[in-house]
Amino acid sequence: MQMDATEFRERQRQDWDTASKGWHDWQERMHRDTRPVSERLVELAGIKAGDRVLDVAAGLGEPSLTAAKVVGPGGSVVATDISKGMLDYGRERAAAAGVENIEFVESDAASLDFPEGSFDAAVSRWGIIFDPDGEGAAARVRGFLKEGGRFAISSWGPPDRVPMLGVPMRTVMTRLDVPPPPPGTPGPLSRPTPEAIGSILEGGGFSDVQVEELELDFEYDSPEEFTRFVREIAPPISNLMKSHPPEVQDETWAAITEAIQAHAGEDGKVRMKNLVLVAAGKA
């Protein structure tokens, strides 16, 4: 699809700056539920003690913090993100954890600039999939890696396997008659198959690309808590309804609460399994 990449990235920056407080407020829950992905990305990237690691679109600092603990005091991590707000909270998390071997750098993936062969490995947890030129960004990362260095990334699966995102998006699009994003639009569900996520790495020149599936268990105290969570941390969903009057938006959020009732148990808690794809390739 045709898009102004500079304008698109600027909207992304604004969106994630706005959402950064929500991510901060929900950080303990999110870290608990998504820890397996951070740990697996670090494993797939082959990160070990003493390594220098690049994290692309690190957000609040994952998997940067996970990688920093693995590389130890003899290694280091450079955590990059388009959002200053996210990085500020990332620095706060690192300080609270007593982690001192992470450097935080504000930059989108396309603007990263490091000497050739600067890093032993790279990771990107639900990050590079938001770039309007994911393959180009991957190629850029490959240039920063030492020969044989590995880049591990993640994406969400298809909407029907990711109810955390699929249910709200389907509810908004149905209720407000919003068409799906044009093919090729970057976003959380833009690389939902092994072929789609693998193509980022293959298009970036990586070899020996492998893709795995992980399933995350998410739990919320109630449908209302789930909706509040999504409302505060997911700009791609909020953006679908932002052109509508406030009362229509409120009614749509209420419809999301009603729709997610299908995932609530007798105790009222919402439990759902969400599919994650993880991929890694060699420079």
Side-chain angles (χ1 to χ4, degrees), residues 159-168 226 260 263 272-275:
D160 61 333
R161 298 288 305 279
V162 188
M164 180 191 69
L165 296 170
V167 170
F226 168 81
I260 209 66
H263 292 272
M272 58 184 72
K273 294 183 179 295
N274 294 275
L275 179 67

Side-chain angles (χ1 to χ4, degrees), residues 31 37-39 41-42 47 51 53-72 75-81 87 90-91 93-94 97 99-105 122-125:
H31 180 59
V37 179
S38 292
E39 293 174 345
L41 290 176
V42 168
I47 295 169
D51 278 354
V53 179
L54 174 65
D55 186 355
V56 179
L60 264 61
E62 280 297 343
S64 293
L65 283 161
T66 300
K69 293 172 183 176
V70 173
V71 303
S76 62
V77 177
V78 177
T80 70
D81 199 87
L87 292 175
R91 292 185 184 95
R93 289 187 68 227
V99 176
E100 300 179 348
N101 57 344
I102 301 179
E103 176 188 0
F104 293 88
V105 175
V123 288
S124 183
R125 195 186 75 167

Side-chain angles (χ1 to χ4, degrees), residues 6 14 46 68 96 112 134 153 155 157-158 168 170 175 188-189 193 222 246 256 259 263 272 277:
T6 300
Q14 294 174 7
L112 294 174
I153 66 178
S155 72
R170 184 169 60 250
R175 185 176 182 85
L189 299 172
T193 65
S222 66
I256 290 172
H263 292 272
M272 58 184 72
L277 302 174

